[in-house]
Amino acid sequence: MSPRPAGLGGLRKPSDLGRGFNLFWTGQTVSVVGDRITVFVVPTLMIFVLHASPLQVGVVAMAQYLGIPLLGPIAGVLVDRWDNRLTMLVCDLVRLAAVLVIPVAYWLDFLSTPLLFCCVAAISGATIFFNVGYLIAVPAVVEKDQMVRAYSRLEGSNSVSEVAGPSIAAGLYSALGVAALVVDAASYLVSAACFRSMRPWGERNVVEGTVWERLTAGFRLNWADPVLRRVVLSGVTLNSGGPVFVTVLPVLAYRGLDVSVGVLGAAMSVGAVGALAGAVVAPRISERLGLGRALAWSLLLHCLVGLGVLAAPALPAGPVIAVTMGCYGFFMSGINVCSAPTRQARMSAENQGVMHAAFRTVTWGVIPLAALAGGLSVSALTDRLGILDAARWTMVGGTLLAACSFLPALGIQPLLDAAARERKQAEDAAPELTESAP
């Protein structure tokens, strides 16, 4: 059994992941619900207040991920050297300030697309450092054999945010307008307070090598390991097409299908019940199929169900979006629950930071280009096809590209099975060596 994380109370029973994790989980649950408000309100604000074009919506969506290729590699190196808890707390405060700029700019009458781009980019930059710390924190807060359970709970919180967030966001936007973003800012304050209440975890890593050597080490480690390499290839393919679907969805709903803010919010909340269900059942599915096999099938089905949007407007748009996004979220939860434990099990503690940072840099670094491509495609096709068909065919193209992520993931489970057999053989051989020793 691995040693208990210092200062966090350890585990008392299988269902108890400890006070440290509970604080971490509480802060993240509140924060991710707040995140859904900003994700929903920003494109809504652009379309209805700033009268932005699909290209402008795509550019601001690109800003959400722009910092990943720019800051991702160095984030892993620095977070390895910094106090992890303090880093995550400061990131929450930076994001709080960036979100508050948007309503203040609106009230002072200088809100614009470039300003939104800058605010979203600042939130993205802080989130990059936060997410690297997040992936380091989980194995520090819970024991190794409880990581899938911990990620299932965290993914459940993400799914709850998907369920409650859009409806809350739509209701707040209808009642408060841009002031709804103040609620997201407050959620970052709650998250920061939870980190403040936690005891420090782990230790700062003292690693050899220059910053450049550590920076490049993450990429080498991801590519050298055959399991990590396949996860990286799957992630790059998924994120080359998936963000096209997500970026174009508000344009399709608001301008192509004439869906109201309230209907879209309700449809996405109802549909996100599927994501919550996925988080609940993903550990059981992974236990039965194996992490690698569950990841591969989740990738394929997550993408293919996105084609359900083609049923609108032949069928009512609200229910179509709800059902499609419910299935979409169900399999996305499976991807998230299976991916992180698979990667963490392949890497030593001192290399977790650079490994995760390099992984996010490569796999998420294509997202800004995909989001921009989605906006450009709709803008280019609208004159010829009309806004509805331009959005529909753009989303179909992105979905089919993302579905190819299934192919490299197919080989993960055989590699995990082979590694498990080698470990068992080593464990079986150990007693024999002990008995034969004089």
Side-chain angles (χ1 to χ4, degrees):
M1 185 173 181
S2 60
R4 295 180 176 180
L8 292 172
L11 297 175
R12 295 170 179 80
K13 54 186 178 179
S15 60
D16 180 12
L17 297 178
R19 178 180 180 274
F21 176 78
N22 289 336
L23 280 168
F24 183 86
W25 184 24
T26 299
Q28 290 315 290
T29 300
V30 174
S31 179
V32 294
V33 171
D35 290 345
R36 298 308 306 169
I37 297 173
T38 297
V39 168
F40 186 93
V41 168
V42 167
T44 301
L45 198 63
M46 292 186 69
I47 290 172
F48 289 110
V49 175
L50 299 179
H51 306 291
S53 68
L55 176 57
Q56 289 174 314
V57 174
V59 167
V60 173
M62 177 184 71
Q64 185 178 354
Y65 302 98
L66 188 61
I68 295 172
L70 301 177
L71 298 176
I74 194 66
V77 176
L78 296 178
V79 171
D80 269 343
R81 288 165 163 76
W82 292 346
D83 183 295
N84 192 218
R85 182 180 67 117
L86 180 59
T87 298
M88 299 177 78
L89 191 157
V90 170
C91 287
D92 274 335
L93 297 179
V94 170
R95 294 189 290 183
L96 181 155
V99 170
L100 280 180
V101 168
I102 299 173
V104 170
Y106 175 79
W107 294 326
L108 297 179
D109 199 27
F110 64 89
L111 183 65
S112 64
T113 297
L115 180 62
L116 279 175
F117 180 93
C118 292
C119 290
V120 172
I123 296 168
S124 170
T127 300
I128 290 165
F129 284 88
F130 184 93
N131 285 341
V132 173
Y134 176 102
L135 290 168
I136 297 173
V138 174
V141 172
V142 299
E143 297 191 29
K144 184 176 180 180
D145 60 355
Q146 294 290 333
M147 279 204 298
V148 171
R149 184 184 297 272
Y151 276 112
S152 178
R153 292 189 183 183
L154 289 165
E155 188 60 28
S157 295
N158 289 331
S159 300
V160 168
S161 77
E162 297 283 349
V163 173
S167 289
I168 293 172
L172 288 173
Y173 183 80
S174 297
L176 304 175
V178 71
L181 293 173
V182 175
V183 177
D184 185 23
S187 74
Y188 287 126
L189 189 61
V190 172
S191 178
C194 287
F195 284 121
R196 180 68 180 81
S197 301
M198 293 175 69
R199 296 177 182 178
W201 62 76
E203 299 177 355
R204 300 185 190 185
N205 287 326
V206 179
V207 293
E208 298 180 357
T210 65
V211 170
W212 175 253
E213 289 171 342
R214 291 298 295 164
L215 188 152
T216 57
F219 295 97
R220 293 197 305 271
L221 290 168
N222 274 285
W223 193 252
D225 185 280
V227 171
L228 294 180
R229 182 166 60 247
R230 288 179 176 273
V231 177
V232 166
L233 292 173
S234 294
V236 169
T237 308
L238 177 69
N239 289 334
S240 295
V244 173
F245 181 97
V246 176
T247 299
V248 176
L249 180 61
V251 178
L252 173 76
Y254 291 140
R255 291 188 174 162
L257 300 172
D258 295 321
V259 171
S260 68
V261 173
V263 169
L264 180 61
M268 293 184 70
S269 289
V270 172
V273 172
L276 180 59
V280 173
V281 304
R284 298 176 187 175
I285 294 174
S286 67
E287 288 176 4
R288 176 166 295 187
L289 299 181
L291 279 172
R293 196 172 290 111
L295 175 61
W297 283 104
S298 294
L299 284 164
L300 178 64
L301 296 174
H302 164 73
C303 298
L304 293 184
V305 296
L307 297 176
V309 295
L310 296 176
L315 298 175
V320 167
I321 294 173
V323 173
T324 299
M325 295 307 293
C327 297
Y328 199 76
F330 180 92
F331 294 110
M332 187 73 246
S333 292
I335 295 170
N336 291 338
V337 169
C338 295
S339 174
T342 299
R343 290 183 286 117
Q344 285 173 329
R346 306 291 293 188
M347 197 56 53
S348 59
E350 63 270 19
N351 289 320
Q352 289 279 337
V354 293
M355 182 269 288
H356 288 307
F359 175 82
R360 283 183 178 268
T361 298
V362 174
T363 60
W364 288 32
V366 298
I367 294 179
L369 297 177
L372 180 61
L376 281 171
S377 177
V378 175
S379 295
L381 294 174
T382 295
D383 288 342
R384 183 184 307 171
L385 302 177
I387 189 69
L388 175 61
D389 284 339
R392 281 155 53 97
W393 288 112
T394 297
M395 294 172 77
V396 168
T399 297
L400 294 178
L401 172 60
C404 296
S405 60
F406 169 75
L407 298 176
L410 280 174
I412 293 175
Q413 190 61 50
L415 293 171
L416 295 179
D417 291 341
R421 287 194 297 270
E422 290 177 3
R423 284 195 301 270
K424 188 176 186 307
Q425 290 172 357
E427 291 170 359
D428 291 343
E432 296 177 4
L433 292 174
T434 303
E435 291 172 2
S436 62

